[in-house]
Each structure stands twice: as structure tokens, then as C-alpha cells.
């Protein structure tokens, strides 16, 4: 079964293509479970996410599409939520959705994955940034607020690689993910970034497999062309590491399927 749970809509102001176009593309590609996971509202960085005001419309649009396409595609509703202590909101955390992806995009107030703020990397020690990043992922897992870990090693995107072994840096976070029963997504967006690798890397996916952490799949599409892009590579990586099953969510409950 082909699964893609991580897709954006125009409501985040940095994606193009309509919900219907994404769905038609997913159907053409043979995807069977397809999830929308718009950047959830937050009182920070408001320009890059749906607003609290429009949450209801976003959810209604996806649910209407689910009805419209019910014979052709299994559509799921979710949010990609920023792990950002002090800025997480119960309206999002308690939303009536199928799944919540938890993602670290900010260290303090630094949006480290935004090319606008890439200059900040020059002012910082790379190993310290990686440590801070995985400490945030660990805290996110320990919070128990989310179902899926978004792009586990996003911090590598611009190819600022640490001197310390990445396994050492990520291990406490992976142990916390295993304890929290969260699911790791294999996210293909890294293929289109300077690092040109899936999230997570093979090395970290092997660690996750050894810890018994389940997986799901996401293309993190912000354009029509990105829907399902790199999917074959994601499958090949998962299989070569030993995975045979993946997880989808309905109303925050896990469903295991063969992929
Ligand atoms: Zn985005
Ligand atoms: Fe993200
Ligand atoms: Fe995303
Ligand atoms: Zn993302």
C-alpha cells in the first residue's frame, strides 16, 4: 500500500496547487492513503502557516474532499505542528483530526531551515546546533503530544554536518521516540534540499529499526510536482533497513499496513 501523509495546501502561503490537484496527482501515482498536514496555526511566524481563523475552513475543505473522493482515495486530515515551547495551542493540540506531525523548525526563535536565516549558521558552532536540535526532538517526543516525528534529521538540510557521530547526537532522541510510541516518517523533501538525502538518513533509520520504532511516509509536498516525488527511494530505503510495514492514522489511532 502506498502512503503519503505529509502534504501542504495554499493556506500556509508558501505552497501552490489546489487540494483537488494534489488529490488527482496522488490518484495518478497509485497512492492509496493520502494525508494533508498543513502547518498549524501559532502566534509566531504567522506568515508561513494557516491562521487560527482559517483552521475550520482548512479542516472543512479536506473533509469535503474526503467525501468527494471517497471511492477513489482514502484521505486523512492532519496538521504539522511546530515543537515550540510557549507557542503551542490547545486549539491545535486538541483538534479533531486523524494525526498530528510534530516538527522542530525553530531553535529558540531561529528558523534554521529557512534560507532567509542561513547566515545565522556562520555565527554558531555546528555540533552545538545539532545537540540543541536533537534535545528539542527528545523533548517533543517526551511531551507525548504528537503522533509522527516530522523529518527527524531536518537539521542537516543545508549540509552543515557535525564532527560528532550523528548516532551519538541522535540516540537520546530516538530512545525517547521509542518510549513515546511515536512513528517516524520517511520524508522525501530532503532529496530536494542541498543535502540531497531522505530524512532520516540510512544510518538513523537503522538505529530506529533496532529500537522498534515504526515508520510512515510523507512527501512534504508544497507543489504539485512534489506529490509522491522520491517515493520509490523512500520505499527502497525502508525495505533495505528491514521494514515491511508502515503506519497510518485515523482519529489519532495507529493502523499498521504492508507497504
Ligand atoms: Zn512548509
Ligand atoms: Fe516541516
Ligand atoms: Fe511539511
Ligand atoms: Zn515539513
Amino acid at each position: 500500500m502506498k502512503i503519503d501523509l505529509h502534504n501542504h495546501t495554499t493556506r500556509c502561503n508558501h505552497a501552490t496547487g489546489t487540494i483537488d490537484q494534489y488529490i488527482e496527482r496522488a490518484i495518478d501515482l497509485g497512492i492509496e492513503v493520502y494525508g494533508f498536514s498543513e502547518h498549524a496555526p501559532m502566534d509566531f511566524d504567522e506568515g508561513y502557516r494557516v491562521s487560527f481563523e482559517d483552521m475550520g475552513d482548512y479542516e472543512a475543505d479536506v473533509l469535503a474532499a474526503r467525501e468527494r473522493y471517497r471511492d477513489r482515495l482514502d484521505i486523512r486530515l492532519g496538521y504539522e505542528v511546530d515543537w515550540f515551547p510557549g507557542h503551542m495551542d490547545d486549539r491545535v493540540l486538541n483538534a479533531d483530526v486523524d494525526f498530528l506531525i510534530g516538527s522542530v523548525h525553530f531553535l529558540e526563535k531561529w528558523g534554521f531551515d529557512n534560507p532567509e536565516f542561513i547566515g545565522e549558521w556562520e555565527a554558531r558552532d555546528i555540533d552545538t546546533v545539532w545537540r540543541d536540535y536533537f534535545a528539542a526532538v527528545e523533548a517533543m517526543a517526551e511531551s507525548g503530544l504528537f503522533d509522527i516525528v516530522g523529518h527527524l534529521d531536518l537539521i542537516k538540510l543545508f549540509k552543515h554536518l557535525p564532527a560528532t557521530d550523528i548516532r551519538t547526537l541522535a540516540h537520546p532522541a530516538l530512545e525517547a521516540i521509542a518510549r513515546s510510541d511515536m512513528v517516524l516518517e520517511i520524508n522525501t523533501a530532503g532529496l530536494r534540499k542541498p543535502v540531497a538525502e531522505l530524512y532520516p538518513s540510512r544510518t538513523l533509520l537503522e538505529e530506529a529499526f533496532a529500537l522498534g520504532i515504526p515508520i510512515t511516509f510523507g512527501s512534504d509536498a508544497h507543489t504539485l510536482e512534489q506529490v509522491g516525488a522520491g517515493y520509490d527511494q523512500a520505499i527502497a530505503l525502508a525495505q533495505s533497513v528491514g521494514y515491511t510495514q508502515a503506519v497510518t492514522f485515523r482519529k489519532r489511532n495507529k493502523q499498521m499496513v504492508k507497504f
Side-chain angles (χ1 to χ4, degrees):
M1 174 172 278
K2 270 183 144 181
I3 300 162
D4 182 353
L5 293 186
H6 191 151
N7 294 278
H8 292 277
T9 76
T10 52
R11 289 188 187 276
C12 66
N13 309 311
H14 63 278
T16 55
T18 66
I19 286 177
D20 285 69
Q21 285 174 323
Y22 278 37
I23 290 169
E24 294 289 351
R25 178 89 180 130
I27 293 168
D28 286 348
L29 292 169
I31 292 167
E32 290 159 84
V33 181
Y34 189 72
F36 287 97
S37 53
E38 189 52 289
H39 293 285
M42 176 166 74
D43 63 347
F44 185 79
D45 195 41
E46 282 106 329
Y48 289 88
R49 56 196 62 258
V50 63
S51 64
F52 284 107
E53 211 171 50
D54 290 347
M55 267 179 95
D57 288 345
Y58 160 69
E59 294 175 19
D61 283 354
V62 173
L63 293 175
R66 162 143 76 197
E67 276 312 298
R68 237 177 8 260
Y69 288 91
R70 63 179 311 147
D71 299 330
R72 299 170 67 201
L73 185 63
D74 185 347
I75 295 169
R76 308 290 169 96
L77 172 64
Y79 282 104
E80 180 178 17
V81 186
D82 284 83
W83 171 256
F84 196 170
H87 295 272
M88 288 173 287
D89 193 289
D90 284 343
R91 286 170 282 181
V92 171
L93 299 175
N94 299 326
D96 184 16
V97 294
D98 292 312
F99 62 92
L100 294 178
I101 300 175
S103 292
V104 176
H105 302 109
F106 296 97
L107 293 176
E108 301 291 327
K109 289 182 160 138
W110 175 35
F112 63 81
D113 69 332
N114 187 334
E116 261 183 79
F117 309 121
I118 194 170
E120 178 68 17
W121 277 96
E122 303 310 315
R124 302 213 181 197
D125 173 66
I126 290 175
D127 284 54
T128 304
V129 172
W130 277 67
R131 265 179 236 290
D132 291 349
Y133 173 79
F134 279 113
V137 175
E138 183 181 353
M140 175 177 83
E142 271 167 359
S143 77
L145 294 172
F146 309 109
D147 306 300
I148 298 171
V149 182
H151 36 59
L152 172 71
D153 54 357
L154 176 67
I155 196 72
K156 72 185 176 183
L157 85 159
F158 295 125
K159 249 180 147 174
H160 299 90
L161 301 179
T164 311
D165 190 314
I166 291 171
R167 282 170 292 206
T168 307
L169 293 169
H171 197 73
L174 281 167
E175 285 191 317
I177 291 165
R179 282 193 304 271
S180 73
D181 285 325
M182 285 178 89
V183 172
L184 207 60
E185 66 167 4
I186 301 187
N187 179 316
T188 58
L191 295 171
R192 31 183 216 261
K193 297 291 157 61
V195 71
E197 264 187 16
L198 295 161
Y199 308 118
S201 62
R202 168 179 298 276
T203 307
L204 291 186
L205 193 63
E206 285 170 354
E207 298 279 297
F209 184 75
L211 288 167
I213 299 170
I215 54 164
T216 190
F217 296 94
S219 60
D220 211 342
H222 289 70
T223 70
L224 204 48
E225 299 71 46
Q226 291 168 356
V227 174
Y231 195 82
D232 293 346
Q233 270 170 270
I235 292 287
L237 175 65
Q239 285 175 338
S240 71
V241 166
Y243 284 100
T244 57
Q245 293 197 302
V247 179
T248 71
F249 290 86
R250 194 181 285 286
K251 297 282 185 193
R252 315 278 316 258
N253 291 312
K254 285 194 190 76
Q255 305 170 312
M256 295 292 286
V257 295
K258 278 201 177 323
F259 63 81

